[in-house]
Every structure is written in C-alpha cells, then in structure tokens.
Amino acid sequence: MASAEQLPSGRWRGVYRDAKGNKKHVRGTFPRKSDAREAAQAAEVDARRQAARDDGTLPARTPWGEWWDLISEDRDFDSATPATERTLVKLHVRPRWGDTPLNEISRKDLQQWVKQLSKKMDPASVRRTYGIMSVSINQALGEDILTASPCAGIRLPKVPKKSKKYMTEDNADRLRVHLSQEAQDAMDLGFETGLRPGELAGLHIHRVDLESGWLEIVEVYVAAKKAIRAYPKDDDSRFVPLTAKAVEIIHRRIEGRDLTRGCGIPHLNGEECESELVLRTPTGRPMTPHNQKCHLQRAARKAGVPYRGPYTVRRGYATRLARGGIDAFELADLMGHSDLAQTREYVQRSPQARERALAALGEKQGLAAVDEHGTRGTARGTKRGHQATPEAPNEDDQKAG
C-alpha cells in the first residue's frame, strides 16, 4: 500500500511497493504528506501496469492514455520529434482518446476524428497527429493486447508535394566564412557523406576506414537522452564512400587526439565505449544536432542569407548524387532509406535536372546556361540577337538570393 514518510528536512517522500513486493521510493520530495502519498499511489499503479505489460497480461480495456504513458518511454529519437509529439498528444490526442479503452477505439470514430482534425490543421499535421494513434495501436497489436486494428482503411488528407530547401555549394560558400573550423567541418562532412545530424554527432572514429575510403554508419547520438544508440534510424548499418574532402576533414579532426579513449557518452545498450568521436566542439563536447543548428543559424544571420538547417545539408548531398546520375537504388542505400519514395523527397529540383531533361528531349541547342546557383547565363548556340527562354529559378535558390 502506498504511504509517505517524513524526512529530517521536514519534507515528505512517497513510498510504495512494486509488483514483486519490493519497497520503492518516489523520485523527489513534497512539502505535504498528502502530495507524497498521492504520488506514491500513482507510481504503484504504474509499476503494476508495467509488470502486467511485461507478463503479457495487460488487458485490452486499458485506457489509451495509460497505454501511451507506458510505450512513450521506449521511443527513441535523435531530433526535436519528442517535443513535437508531446505537444500533439497533449493538445489533440489525449483529450479525445485518453480515457477510451483500447478495445473500444473504432475505425468509424477514428475516421471522424481525422475529419475533425482536417478542419483546423494542415494535411501534414493531421497525418503526424494520426501517426501517434497508429503507432500506439500497432504496438498494442504487436504485444497481443489487441487482435485487430481499427486503423485499417483510414483515409488521410493528401499532402501537396512541394520543393524543400537544400544546401547548395553557393549556400555553403556563403556560410563557411562565418563558421568556426569545427562547425565548418561538421557542415562539410555532412555535405560530403549525407549523414543525418544525429549520425554525424554519433560518428565514432573506429567506423572510419581511411585506407579503403569507406565510412560505416552505426551509432547515432540521441539528443532526447543525451546518449548513443547502437543503430541508425532504419535499424541497419550502412556504408558511405569517403570523398577526398571528407578524408581531409576527418584527418584534421582526429589529428593530435587520443584515439584510444572512449567517447564518454552513455551507450543505451549498456556497452562500454572504446572509441572517440570524430566531431567535437572546441570545448570538447559532442557536436550535437542542436550545436549544428545553432552554428548554421548564426552564420546565416551574419551572411545575411536565409537559414539552411542540418537536414538541408543531407538533402544537398542527395541532390548532388542524383544530379550526377547515380542509380536510384544505390542512392537509397547510401541515404539509409527503406524505399525509393522516401529518397525521392530528398532529391530536390535543380537547374541541372532541367538541362538533362531538355537534352533528353533533343533540345541540345538554344538552352539557357544555368549554373548550380540558378544564375541565368547567355544562350548557347543561339543566333546573335536572340535570347534563350529564361528558366524560373529554383525556389530555394531564389530565397537565398
């Protein structure tokens, strides 16, 4: 039974017993005995619920809110996703489904909820909010709490396709002069390898083979937990070839450092790390996704150009590869994507894509010369006094000026 005990300081601490009868204390203290006892009661209920889940005996009548509280602790991210997810749950999911038993969530009610969300949110936000419900239901299915999914056949609003910002060489050149060497190397290494910000931050030296020219992507820095996860987003490690510039950057970053010590960051699998990180800040801390973002924001303000975040660097890498004619399946492998549709979202429209398409249609003469920055040049092969048809500049390059 939950209770409370008074400490020498005069404050109170909650006391309860877990499912095995072991005495436990609630984290933190309280000014009133009633508050401590209430916290202990809640902790005791949570402990029993978790024990039931571990034993496979959690009932299907468990309210959605209680189920989400159980599974949300297990979700790992290397971005701002946790904060966004918590906000969506608080504002849109828990108010509707928090007290509803899992086995009473119907397809009809879910579809009606999606329809209501669509009246006040854009399609992408509706899909993201609904995705939380879908994930929770799928996990309940996976743990045999539910035997059927109410999510089958749910119709979601279509998200209009639009170009996304990506880093170009021109963008990078304008930022480099305003970045420290460490921040510049982080941006350039991402531009040369296409690593996700968390993969870049969690890159360990023993994963780099400078002799063969390959980089293995395994560990990821999970910002929400300030720890290292032993697998990337797609769950499978992958290899990325190192360019001459990437090799130069890595040599510069590891020069004069003790490569035999561990990274000093907790690993979520409990293993002791014996390898250093490739990227660190001048103070010796990891070059986290947040660090990368802050450096790029400051550089953009100083350069007087629109901000380009860490993920635009990754899109820039994908766009450069696609522009070079790489096989689509090979590009997906390098990006760590499970399907080509996901890769397609990272390859952005570029002036070179237009040039190649027109050339394939036989228009090899009279094309406007367009460099990678979207600058229109003079016509090639046109008669004197005639202008080639101008090209509409890329949306991102137009914003970059």
Side-chain angles (χ1 to χ4, degrees), residues 22-82:
N22 299 317
K23 184 178 179 180
K24 299 287 185 179
H25 294 100
V26 175
R27 182 179 299 178
T29 60
F30 303 85
R32 298 187 303 177
K33 181 178 180 179
S34 58
D35 293 338
R37 185 188 297 113
E38 185 177 328
Q41 289 171 343
E44 189 171 65
V45 171
D46 289 343
R48 291 176 179 173
R49 191 180 298 122
Q50 183 62 59
R53 180 192 177 194
D54 295 339
D55 293 340
T57 59
L58 193 70
R61 64 177 181 276
T62 301
W64 182 89
E66 296 179 6
W67 171 240
W68 180 254
D69 291 339
L70 283 175
I71 66 174
S72 60
E73 295 297 321
D74 301 334
R75 292 170 60 73
D76 294 334
F77 301 99
D78 59 355
S79 64
T81 300

Side-chain angles (χ1 to χ4, degrees), residues 203-319:
L203 179 60
H204 285 62
I205 291 173
H206 74 293
R207 300 299 183 184
V208 181
D209 190 338
L210 294 175
E211 292 186 4
S212 67
W214 285 94
L215 166 67
E216 185 179 14
I217 302 168
V218 181
E219 290 83 11
V220 176
Y221 180 84
V222 182
K225 297 191 175 183
K226 297 182 179 179
I228 298 293
R229 190 179 65 206
Y231 54 89
K233 186 175 182 179
D234 58 342
D235 294 339
D236 292 324
S237 62
R238 67 184 189 278
F239 288 87
V240 172
L242 292 171
T243 64
K245 185 171 183 178
V247 171
E248 176 188 342
I249 292 170
I250 293 172
H251 271 302
R252 179 163 56 247
R253 295 271 52 91
I254 68 178
E255 184 179 5
R257 292 168 58 188
D258 181 5
L259 306 184
T260 61
R261 70 173 190 173
C263 68
I265 304 172
H267 283 231
L268 294 175
N269 60 7
E271 295 182 0
E272 185 176 349
C273 182
E274 298 180 353
S275 178
E276 246 287 37
L277 297 176
V278 173
L279 298 175
R280 286 193 181 274
T281 67
T283 59
R285 296 180 179 179
M287 182 63 75
T288 66
H290 179 70
N291 292 141
Q292 298 169 38
K293 177 181 178 180
C294 289
H295 283 296
L296 292 174
Q297 283 179 327
R298 285 195 292 267
R301 285 197 298 268
K302 292 179 180 179
V305 298
Y307 165 63
R308 292 283 188 271
Y311 259 92
T312 69
V313 178
R314 178 167 159 82
R315 293 192 199 107
Y317 170 82
T319 302

